[in-house]
Amino acid sequence: MLTLNIHLPFYNHSGMDLIIDGWFHERGELWPGQAMSIKVKEVLYHGRSKFQDVLIFSSTNHGNVLVLDGVIQVTERDEFAYQEMMAHIPLFAHPNPEKVLVIGGGDGGILREIAKHPGVKEIYICELDADVIKYSKKYLPTLAKGYDDPRVTVKIMDGAIFMNENQDNFDVIITDSSDPIGPASVLFEKPFYDAMHKSLRDGGIVCTQGENVWLHLDIIKPLMDSINQMYGTVEYAYTTIPTYPSGQIGFIIAGKNRDSCVKPVRLPSEEQTDSMRYYSPEIHEASFVLPAFAKKAIYGK
């Protein structure tokens, strides 16, 4: 997820402080009254970058786990459910994506999935924290292999600045962001979506981390309402992933002067299908079907 310097009491905790009696306990103000615990086998790395606390540990049942400022970003056991859906929904909804931008996503998992599309000619990633890239390459190689693709260009910089310098330039923009707390809150506001809109080519698609329908409808609906006039279509999809709060996380999918992204306009090749563990054309469409309470809250019907 996009790494930002968050100056709040909880998020300034050392990740090591959250390991108690051999278990890592994730607690957060955006999911009050609940916690996620993973049994720790060995701490592989702990330190503080210029921006945040970085913890990587091996677990007994979830493989290696990346934690930033006390919040789980990736476990090797279930990361594919997030990476595949975030990348392939917008890519397969686009008829010919040639140039793709990733904002955040320093672990490399989104890059790995984009690289499965042979028609993509250029892949750019803007990651603010170089340490996330460095230690993901060392301890999360199955994700970080995305950096090995020769089409990838890495920019250690603010994604908003890069987009301002590259307008009308990308077919797909994927923002793998942190939660809307502190400085990261700007990524859930209209000006950031305006910057993405200007950086998209006509017919382009943005896909951003869209929080959780069980916890964050008060964030999701106002954001989608605020960008409806800017984008031709604004839709919500989701994936299930056990180690994210409440086992679900969503995506806001918005198109520039184009129709709905609910149906894929291209189908995976046999090689692509063999490489995927979660995404399929059927689940692409199904991911936009929301529970009644969420549909009513988000769309008003």
Side-chain angles (χ1 to χ4, degrees):
M1 292 191 171
L2 182 64
T3 50
L4 294 168
N5 191 14
I6 299 176
H7 298 291
L8 287 172
F10 172 76
Y11 283 90
N12 276 333
H13 273 282
S14 163
M16 294 295 292
D17 293 342
L18 301 176
I19 298 176
I20 303 169
D21 296 330
W23 289 75
F24 173 82
H25 302 280
E26 180 194 60
R27 306 181 184 96
E29 61 186 80
L30 281 177
W31 43 96
Q34 66 186 64
M36 176 68 189
S37 297
I38 296 178
K39 193 170 185 179
V40 178
K41 183 187 294 183
E42 178 187 2
V43 173
L44 301 173
Y45 173 77
H46 178 249
R48 184 160 190 91
S49 72
K50 294 178 181 178
F51 303 98
Q52 61 202 330
D53 185 87
V54 180
L55 170 67
I56 303 175
F57 64 87
S58 62
S59 67
T60 58
N61 297 88
H62 290 78
N64 290 352
V65 180
L66 171 65
V67 178
L68 300 178
D69 279 339
V71 177
I72 296 168
Q73 308 296 310
V74 162
T75 84
E76 289 181 314
R77 180 176 179 176
D78 60 10
E79 53 83 12
F80 62 91
Y82 178 78
Q83 319 284 2
E84 289 186 17
M85 294 293 278
M86 175 163 255
H88 298 310
I89 289 176
L91 287 170
F92 281 113
H94 195 289
N96 185 31
E98 294 184 342
K99 197 168 184 180
V100 181
L101 171 63
V102 180
I103 299 176
D107 53 65
I110 297 295
L111 296 178
R112 179 194 67 200
E113 298 304 317
I114 297 170
K116 295 176 182 178
H117 291 255
V120 173
K121 296 178 179 178
E122 298 177 62
I123 308 168
Y124 289 83
I125 179 169
C126 290
E127 169 59 61
L128 202 59
D129 195 336
D131 278 9
V132 174
I133 298 175
K134 175 181 177 180
Y135 292 108
S136 293
K137 287 181 176 180
K138 185 171 183 178
Y139 296 112
L140 296 165
T142 59
L143 286 87
K145 69 179 183 179
Y147 288 101
D148 297 336
D149 192 283
R151 294 169 291 176
V152 172
T153 299
V154 179
K155 300 287 186 179
I156 307 298
M157 65 181 296
D158 187 324
I161 294 173
F162 182 77
M163 288 191 293
N164 188 54
E165 296 170 351
N166 292 273
Q167 298 196 0
D168 299 309
N169 208 12
F170 295 100
D171 299 303
V172 173
I173 299 175
I174 298 171
T175 300
D176 185 6
S177 68
S178 54
D179 295 310
I181 293 179
S185 63
V186 300
L187 304 179
F188 290 78
E189 295 173 357
K190 188 177 179 181
F192 185 75
Y193 280 80
D194 181 58
M196 288 191 289
H197 188 271
K198 290 177 180 176
S199 194
L200 277 180
R201 292 171 174 168
D202 206 43
I205 302 168
V206 301
C207 177
T208 67
Q209 191 266 97
E211 292 301 320
N212 185 298
V213 298
W214 294 101
L215 300 167
H216 306 126
L217 288 172
D218 60 329
I219 296 172
I220 297 166
K221 179 173 172 50
L223 174 57
M224 292 181 64
D225 288 348
S226 73
I227 64 173
N228 255 321
Q229 297 301 313
M230 186 187 312
Y231 289 87
T233 57
V234 180
E235 296 163 311
Y236 187 89
Y238 72 95
T239 188
T240 60
I241 178 166
T243 53
Y244 281 177
S246 294
Q248 178 265 330
I249 197 164
F251 312 108
I252 293 175
I253 316 285
K256 182 176 181 178
N257 299 326
R258 56 160 293 127
D259 295 329
S260 169
C261 293
V262 169
K263 293 183 181 294
V265 298
R266 297 180 297 114
L267 296 178
S269 66
E270 184 177 347
E271 181 180 2
Q272 288 172 321
T273 299
D274 289 345
S275 73
M276 295 172 186
R277 301 169 63 192
Y278 195 99
Y279 178 87
S280 69
E282 294 81 10
I283 207 163
H284 179 127
E285 292 190 45
S287 70
F288 290 87
V289 179
L290 304 182
F293 77 91
K295 181 181 179 182
K296 185 176 181 179
I298 293 172
Y299 297 110
K301 55 184 179 181

